[in-house]
């Protein structure tokens, strides 16, 4: 697949990258190389290959998903600029 100059400029615009006229030619070659590599990858047979998220197998440490207040309301509210009982007082943002 060959990329033309208008495609390079469009990709740069979408990426919000300022590209000068002299850079367009260089980027055109780089995008062509990237797309040809992707074409090579799409030709590979990956049937039965399990997707990976990392090169090192890892397992996440999970905890029970429970709602708690930390059981320290005074510690939490100590630095509040304003409070009312056990709640933060914040300025109104929506009318």
């Amino acid at each position: 697949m060959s990329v033309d100059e208008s495609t390079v400029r469009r990709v740069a615009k979408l990426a919000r990258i300022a590209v000068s006229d002299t850079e367009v030619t260089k980027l055109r070659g780089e995008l062509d190389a990237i797309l040809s590599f992707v074409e090579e990858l799409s030709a590979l047979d990956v049937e039965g290959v399990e997707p990976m998220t990392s090169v090192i197998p890892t397992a996440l440490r999970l905890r029970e998903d429970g709602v708690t207040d930390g059981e320290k309301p005074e510690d939490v509210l100590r630095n509040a600029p304003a409070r009312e009982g056990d709640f933060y007082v914040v300025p109104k943002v929506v009318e």
Side-chain angles (χ1 to χ4, degrees), residues 38-55:
V38 170
E39 285 178 10
E40 285 180 41
L41 290 176
S42 66
L44 295 175
D45 180 23
V46 292
E47 189 67 33
V49 177
E50 192 172 325
M52 298 179 5
T53 58
S54 174
V55 293

Side-chain angles (χ1 to χ4, degrees), residues 51-91:
M52 298 179 5
T53 58
S54 174
V55 293
I56 301 170
T58 57
L60 295 176
R61 293 178 287 176
L62 302 176
R63 62 173 170 77
E64 184 180 332
D65 189 15
V67 178
T68 66
D69 63 359
E71 300 177 11
K72 300 179 184 179
E74 285 305 315
D75 291 342
V76 172
L77 293 167
R78 184 174 297 131
N79 293 322
R83 69 184 270 190
E84 188 175 304
D86 286 340
F87 301 97
Y88 283 98
V89 177
V90 295

Side-chain angles (χ1 to χ4, degrees), residues 17-32:
I17 299 171
V19 177
S20 67
D21 293 335
T22 57
E23 293 174 310
V24 170
T25 307
K26 179 183 174 191
L27 290 174
R28 183 178 174 191
E30 290 179 7
L31 285 175
D32 279 334

